[in-house]
Amino acid sequence: MDHIHSSTEITTALPALQWLEAPLTTTQEDVLFPLAWEELACRQVGKGAAPILHLWRHPGALVIGHRDRRLPNAPQAMERVRSSGTSVCVRPSGGAAVMLDRGVLNLSLILPNPQRAISLHEDFRLMAGLIADALAPWSVEAQTGEIIGSFCPGDYDVSVGGRKFCGIAQRRQAKAYIITAFVMIEGRGAERAQAVQQFYREAAGGTPEGVQEPDYPRVNPATMGSLAELAGVPSVEAYTASLRRVVESRAAILPADGSLVQPEGLAEQMAALRERYDLQV
């Protein structure tokens, strides 16, 4: 487990960028919408548009990974979650299942990659550094390292006191890429973990004798926590304001381009993502 260095110490520079903070979506809105928006925005950044920091929340969604979708009873488990009024999708970036609600802030750095040379570890450290720096008014105890038993586990889990509040993943395109993170700020981490745990129980189903057990995270709800629980952060809005100050101290904030993504392309992109990642096994 490593203490996180300030993002000012990371060699990957933070360029001038657009700060795009989406309004809280309605419960009925498909959680695939912001992911499709990011796919299209990433293409525009690859064509020369200014880099973006996209912030968004959804009031109730389960976002799963490619491997999760391959579990034997995944379609039935996804449908059960949908029937409870929770939006469900398979995301194009890496990682495993994550439970979202209005207390979880999603961050995506959308950056150009003209030389197709990505330093995965530096980029993940950059995102972790920004997240930790934004937490500094309440705690300087953030660390990185995989939290065994957490949902969506990875080498760059961000935690306080051994409990994870943030996971980081990446999505690459030909000339640009997305570093994306979820940050649990309000609410209870264990409750979100229990919902993910229940999804895996249903999606994995029973495995016949002699058949290798499916590969999926074994979630322990005690390993997850929100920043309200772990550091006393009062609200998503307070954390977001701190993050804005951190970003403004590192880079110029450019005017947001409202015409970056055309609405008519979003439905088509959502359909393409669903066909590629959700309907295909």
Side-chain angles (χ1 to χ4, degrees), residues 104-126:
V104 180
L105 182 65
N106 300 282
L107 313 174
S108 293
L109 265 173
I110 306 178
L111 301 171
N113 183 36
Q115 278 78 45
R116 301 190 182 187
I118 294 176
S119 175
L120 181 67
H121 295 294
E122 280 196 9
D123 289 331
F124 277 36
R125 284 196 295 268
L126 171 63

Side-chain angles (χ1 to χ4, degrees), residues 26 140 156:
T26 64
V140 293
Y156 285 88

